[in-house]
Amino acid sequence: MTERGRWIVGVDLGGTNIVVGVIPVDGGEAHAVRSLPTEPQRGAKHVVDRMVHMIEHAIQQTIADFGGERGDFTGVGIGSPGPLNRETGTIINTPNLGWRNFPLRDLIQNAVNLRCSLDNDANCATYGEWWMGAGRDVDNLVGLTLGTGIGGGIVLGGRVFHGASDAAGEIGHMTIDSTGRKCKCGNYGCLEQYASGPAIALRAIEGIEAGVDTMLPDLVDGRLEEITAATVYEAAVLGDPYANEVMKETAKFLGAGVANLINVLNPEMIVIAGGVTRAGEHLFGPLRAEVRRRAFRSSEEACQIVPAQLQGTAGVIGAAGVFRTEVLGL
Ligand SMILES: [Zn+2]
């Protein structure tokens, strides 16, 4: 075994699922990838035990497949919902998991007897795309994950930009309408209230209730409460004019946020992840057009706006990548 080992274990802890995989120290595909439900309602000990079990399983699986020994594993990178403190390895609080001041890093570190790092899940997903995905060839990029909320991450010069208190990259809480919809963070008009999955569904339902003509109710047998963002993408791809209108509107909100990012950071790339990318050009076409209208031309021309490439493994690969840079200094 070399000093720095052959492998890093990546852990992507989410409110719904835990994903674990093993990544070569010098980069490459994730091996022994497995996903299990988090089941936070069963308590913190259950979640930690499950993470430990999954890490041990991934190590054993990799040794079985590639040979070697436990000493070839140099450490574990953990991505978790925040806010968190990287220095102490503590989760400050996570509404989804119900944790407060929870020393996650040390609990895992002591259980598996390997060095661990802890970073925000959206930072990890963005870093994964920079290291092994859509951003492989650029130095600076910003990542947005559109899901139940909007997660964000900023990579500058090949490093995650963390800010003064590990809270940088909260792109979903960028104000795009100062008197707009109330957000659960306490602010008004956050991007998340317009372009997250639930926000897209809500805007679509509001239009249907106001009487627009669309196939959307037929896709859910008239049960409007079952309309999700995925239903809207599906209808847009099927050519429904109203669903396309909703996607165009989403692109406008998202475009305002992306133009702000481009004007402030002048990145080479914006990577968009999440179910919304299934709408393809129904989203990306109007998004690029909106950014072109709003951002400085030289910044807009220098920036590619692209879908993420790593399907379901960006968080795991990125968590391992963060361990590699932050702990191994590579
Ligand atoms: Zn907010």
Side-chain angles (χ1 to χ4, degrees), residues 30 52 58 64 71 82 90 93 129 132 163 165 182 190 195 198 205 240 247-248 261 267 273 285 292 300 319:
V52 169
T90 309
N93 81 69
E129 284 293 334
M132 292 288 136
S165 61
K182 189 164 198 321
C190 291
I205 293 167
D240 182 70
M247 289 318 296
K248 268 191 205 150
L261 291 167
R292 209 167 298 131
E300 181 271 313

Side-chain angles (χ1 to χ4, degrees), residues 3-325:
E3 184 62 36
R4 57 185 198 163
R6 280 177 70 192
W7 307 102
I8 303 168
V9 183
V11 180
D12 183 8
L13 170 65
T16 310
N17 291 302
I18 303 167
V19 189
V20 173
V22 174
I23 289 86
V25 168
D26 292 323
E29 283 179 24
H31 299 296
V33 177
R34 197 157 69 129
S35 173
L36 286 176
T38 312
E39 301 174 335
Q41 72 283 0
R42 293 177 67 182
K45 184 175 184 309
H46 166 81
V47 176
V48 171
D49 287 350
R50 178 156 278 187
M51 290 169 75
V52 169
H53 173 79
M54 291 176 76
I55 291 165
E56 294 296 349
H57 183 272
I59 290 173
Q60 292 313 319
Q61 177 79 51
T62 304
I63 291 173
D65 291 344
F66 295 91
E69 55 186 39
R70 195 182 172 86
D72 295 327
F73 292 78
T74 185
V76 180
I78 304 165
S80 162
L84 49 81
N85 181 326
R86 288 185 307 131
E87 204 173 320
T88 60
T90 309
I91 311 289
I92 296 168
N93 81 69
T94 54
N96 289 341
L97 299 169
W99 295 353
R100 269 187 179 280
N101 299 319
F102 188 71
L104 179 66
R105 185 195 62 201
D106 289 356
L107 287 170
I108 302 287
Q109 194 161 268
N110 294 336
V112 300
N113 199 25
L114 288 168
R115 283 180 296 177
C116 294
S117 64
L118 179 69
D119 207 327
N120 175 282
D121 52 358
N123 287 348
C124 290
T126 301
Y127 198 73
E129 284 293 334
W130 173 79
W131 192 27
M132 292 288 136
R136 282 188 306 278
D137 299 323
V138 305
D139 291 324
N140 308 303
L141 67 78
V142 180
L144 282 83
T145 302
L146 278 61
T148 312
I150 294 183
I154 301 168
V155 173
L156 301 176
R159 301 284 296 260
V160 173
F161 176 73
H162 290 102
S165 61
D166 293 340
E170 287 293 350
I171 293 162
H173 301 282
M174 172 189 290
T175 302
I176 57 159
D177 178 354
S178 62
T179 57
R181 295 174 190 253
K182 189 164 198 321
C183 182
K184 62 183 188 303
C185 74
N187 185 25
Y188 289 85
C190 291
L191 178 60
E192 184 167 295
Q193 293 306 312
Y194 298 86
S196 65
I200 293 168
L202 178 66
R203 280 193 289 106
I205 293 167
E206 284 172 352
I208 296 165
E209 286 172 345
V212 296
D213 186 23
T214 163
M215 70 165 68
L216 277 167
D218 295 337
L219 295 178
V220 290
D221 294 327
R223 292 187 289 267
L224 296 191
E225 70 281 3
E226 286 181 14
I227 290 176
T228 65
T231 325
V232 181
Y233 315 148
E234 190 190 335
V237 173
L238 290 171
D240 182 70
Y242 175 64
N244 262 304
E245 206 46 54
V246 173
M247 289 318 296
K248 268 191 205 150
E249 208 178 63
T250 304
K252 281 202 160 188
F253 292 126
L254 200 54
V258 168
N260 288 341
L261 291 167
I262 287 179
N263 279 347
V264 172
L265 292 167
N266 190 197
E268 294 159 84
M269 182 177 278
I270 302 278
V271 183
I272 309 230
V276 72
T277 56
R278 288 210 299 267
E281 281 307 304
H282 295 276
L283 175 78
F284 282 91
L287 171 60
R288 292 187 187 109
E290 185 67 17
V291 172
R292 209 167 298 131
R293 269 194 290 276
R294 289 180 179 273
F296 274 74
R297 172 170 275 211
S298 72
S299 301
E300 181 271 313
E301 284 176 351
C303 185
Q304 311 170 54
I305 302 173
V306 298
Q309 284 182 1
L310 302 174
Q311 298 293 336
T313 54
V316 163
I317 291 174
V322 166
F323 179 89
R324 180 180 189 271
T325 20

